[in-house]
Amino acid sequence: MIKSANQYAVHSLFSHEGNVLYKIPPYQREYSWHKPHWEDLFEDLIDADGSHFLGTIITLDQTTDALEGSVLQVVDGQQRLTTLALLLAAVYSVLKERIDELDEDTRTDVTNLGRQLVRKADGQLRVTPQKQGHNLFDFLKVLEDAGLPVEGERKPYYPSRRIAKCYQYFRTAILKLAETEELAETEAALRVHEAALQAVIVKIEVASHADAFVLFESLNNRGMPLSPVDLIKNHLLAESEKKQIMNVDQAFKHWNDMLTSLGDSYATQERFLRHYYNAFKPELPDVPNASVATKSNLIRVYEKVLGQDLEKVVDALVGASKIYGRINCIVELDHPTSLDRAFQRLMRAQGAPSYVLLLWLMTMQGELKLSDTHVEGIVDLLTSFFVRRNLTGYPPTYALAKLFMTTISDIADARGDEVLEIVGEKLHAVSASEDEFRERLIGRIYEENTDVARFALTALAEDAMTKETRVDLWRQEKNRFVWTIEHILPQGENLPAVWNEMLGGEELAAKEQEEHKHRLGNLTITAYNSNLGNKSFVEKRDRQDSKGRYIGYRNGLALNAELVTRESWTGEDIERRTQELASRVLSRFPLPPTRSQPTPADGDTVEFRTGLTSGSKKS
């Protein structure tokens, strides 16, 4: 497995006379160290009593041309090597800018430092990052800015990405060291240079990618921790080479195609891998003690799954990821279909646990004889289910995975309309009753679940929009919604006098506020919420921005139509509007009983079947 393992000083690994090059393979993560990592490295080097140990790197000899020298592929340690190269570039830039202050010997050292970063013979980089996230472009631009003989290209937002920030951090740190220690700036740079070159690294060379990935997973206990997705990727690459099914580059391309469909979120990628296994479990290799794929057993699950027909599984994952990306609304479409809009509503209703069912249904859509209209009907049922479930808390979170897996099992032999009916029966059987849902709707919904309150209000507002009056109530600026929940009767303490007077005096007003402030009837949707605050009802109603646009209750939303006609707002008004809106939400998100599932009468007991346990719950 291991060809060699030796300890080297950095000046030896980066020898200006040597021909060794370090290249980061394309399947590695992009550069991901942050300021705390840079600070730790800088302080460790400066404070070290002797040579600082930088850790271990794992390399694979990929030399193809003897004249080129040794080309080592860095399978582990890329974050460390890239950061070290950026530190040396910062040292070089500080010294290069002050070259006239240096004696002849030190100038030679600066020249040699440049050759440690860029090989003299052919101008190749000593460390070559991969291209993801503009890493290579940014690295070249840093070296060019430092004064090294390379041509860089400044990509958009270059200064805000990590490689540029790291380089600037080290430059600043060197200059601060000079100020703190009362050194000349060249002395501070040379001190950092000496500490970096004397630091040591253990370099392990392995014979194959498979060997490298085994070591990588066992030794990766420094730097940025690997996610389960990273570890599964490494296992795929190792297995593909070991079984000679496809080379590492081909395997990585398949993996990257999958991630492209899933977007940049690790949470989405990890959830997809769980959902894929849970959806297609009967067709996949049996994994002992893994009836459901979870975060904790995901690596073990995929070690088993990828250990079988690897190429078939990888192809299936790539195809499934495209479907999952559509369900998850990864790409914003210019012309979304009615089904795409339904997926978007489900996503906003926090219905992600049901994606396992939808992934299976859409993969099997032709065989199940499901039209897009059928699928859209199921998505609408799921949206209603999650609005109710997320407000009432029933069924519990732990039951959801089994619920959707047993639903898949129950509809395996159904076709067309029958599929829709079975899904409706399953959801209705495990949901809280209409009475309980209404009870939560008319209660303190803002405290119970703010997200459900916002989704319900937004849905009611959107339903009344026309093509001419449509506005995007989900638009965000700086990762915050522009349109947010507004408390009509303010929720804050110390109600203004105008509200106390409207509600019958300070004591009664405080009681009314405490009872009604978080109820559905006291909530609405407005933009620029902070401009309204504790203002009087009339001021909130008629509020305009600096351009004369209404940003209060006259904002054009049908949800606020009643408020526009009012001159006051009391507890009785909130109670009446709460009952009205609750009825509208019940109608908007129906979960009707099927023919085989009659509506229970008051006092009857309904059996809930989740696939995990059986129990009963009062209607």
Side-chain angles (χ1 to χ4, degrees), residues 98-390:
R98 297 159 180 80
I99 198 75
D100 293 339
E101 302 173 23
L102 304 176
D103 59 34
E104 188 173 343
D105 288 343
T106 308
R107 290 183 187 182
T108 300
D109 290 340
V110 175
T111 300
N112 290 339
L113 171 56
R115 292 171 182 169
Q116 288 175 315
L117 293 168
V118 181
R119 192 163 67 179
K120 177 185 177 183
D122 51 13
Q124 289 203 59
L125 303 182
R126 192 69 62 179
V127 175
T128 302
Q130 89 289 74
K131 294 180 180 179
Q132 290 185 63
H134 293 312
N135 280 184
L136 180 55
F137 286 113
D138 292 348
F139 189 76
L140 286 167
K141 184 60 181 169
V142 159
L143 296 189
E144 182 184 53
D145 290 347
L148 287 155
V150 298
E151 291 186 10
E153 182 179 349
R154 186 186 180 94
K155 292 293 184 180
Y157 307 107
Y158 157 74
S160 64
R161 286 192 293 273
R162 292 190 187 103
I163 282 181
K165 284 185 172 182
C166 176
Y167 168 71
Q168 289 300 334
Y169 167 78
F170 285 134
R171 274 186 53 88
T172 302
I174 292 166
L175 300 179
K176 283 185 177 179
L177 177 67
E179 182 181 343
T180 303
E181 300 288 332
E182 297 183 349
L183 300 170
E185 290 168 344
T186 53
E187 288 182 86
L190 289 168
R191 178 177 165 186
V192 174
H193 183 215
E194 179 67 16
L197 293 186
Q198 294 306 314
V200 296
I201 290 176
V202 171
K203 177 166 74 72
I204 301 174
E205 274 198 54
V206 295
S208 69
H209 281 98
D211 293 339
F213 294 132
V214 171
L215 276 174
F216 183 30
E217 293 177 19
S218 62
L219 292 177
N220 192 73
N221 58 359
R222 297 172 62 86
M224 295 291 287
L226 292 176
S227 74
V229 177
D230 293 312
L231 294 172
I232 293 168
K233 175 196 72 177
N234 292 341
H235 187 76
L236 164 66
L237 300 179
E239 284 291 299
S240 66
E241 181 182 67
K242 185 166 63 177
K243 295 182 177 180
Q244 297 185 328
I245 294 172
M246 50 185 142
N247 64 38
V248 170
D249 288 340
Q250 290 172 324
F252 176 70
K253 182 182 183 304
H254 282 295
W255 184 265
N256 206 42
D257 287 344
M258 182 186 79
L259 296 193
T260 298
S261 299
L262 299 174
D264 297 331
S265 168
Y266 272 99
T268 300
Q269 296 165 7
E270 178 260 332
R271 189 179 66 228
F272 164 72
L273 291 172
R274 283 191 287 112
H275 282 180
Y276 177 83
Y277 176 78
N278 292 341
F280 299 99
K281 186 175 182 295
E283 305 164 28
L284 296 171
D286 182 58
V287 181
N289 301 315
S291 59
V292 177
T294 63
K295 291 180 181 180
S296 61
N297 69 15
L298 192 62
I299 297 170
R300 182 166 60 86
V301 162
Y302 274 89
E303 284 178 349
K304 182 75 170 180
V305 169
L306 294 172
Q308 302 287 319
D309 192 342
L310 185 142
E311 192 167 17
K312 180 180 178 182
V313 171
V314 171
D315 287 342
L317 282 169
V318 172
S321 69
K322 295 176 182 178
I323 295 172
Y324 201 85
R326 183 185 180 190
I327 295 169
N328 205 57
C329 307
I330 297 299
V331 177
E332 189 171 335
L333 303 173
D334 292 332
H335 303 289
T337 66
S338 178
L339 178 56
D340 291 315
R341 288 191 290 271
F343 287 143
Q344 191 175 63
R345 290 192 296 272
L346 179 61
M347 178 188 68
R348 290 169 175 172
Q350 301 175 322
S354 66
Y355 292 174
V356 59
L357 170 61
L358 291 173
L359 175 61
W360 187 83
L361 286 173
M362 293 199 66
T363 302
M364 305 293 291
Q365 188 172 355
E367 185 175 329
L368 295 171
K369 301 188 184 309
L370 293 176
S371 66
D372 279 1
T373 302
H374 283 125
V375 178
E376 185 177 341
I378 292 170
V379 175
D380 286 342
L381 282 172
L382 290 167
T383 301
S384 294
F385 170 78
F386 275 101
V387 170
R388 293 159 176 259
R389 185 264 156 204
N390 292 340

Side-chain angles (χ1 to χ4, degrees), residues 14 22-24 29-33 38 41 57 74 77-89 117 127-130 135-136 139 142-143 162-163 166-167 170:
F14 282 37
Y22 301 92
K23 295 196 175 183
I24 315 300
R29 288 183 300 174
E30 62 187 72
Y31 183 68
S32 56
W33 272 19
W38 311 332
L41 175 61
I57 63 173
V74 182
Q78 65 130 331
Q79 306 290 338
R80 211 164 294 121
L81 282 186
T82 304
T83 306
L84 191 58
L86 292 168
L87 171 64
L88 293 175
L117 293 168
V127 175
T128 302
Q130 89 289 74
N135 280 184
L136 180 55
F139 189 76
V142 159
L143 296 189
R162 292 190 187 103
I163 282 181
C166 176
Y167 168 71
F170 285 134

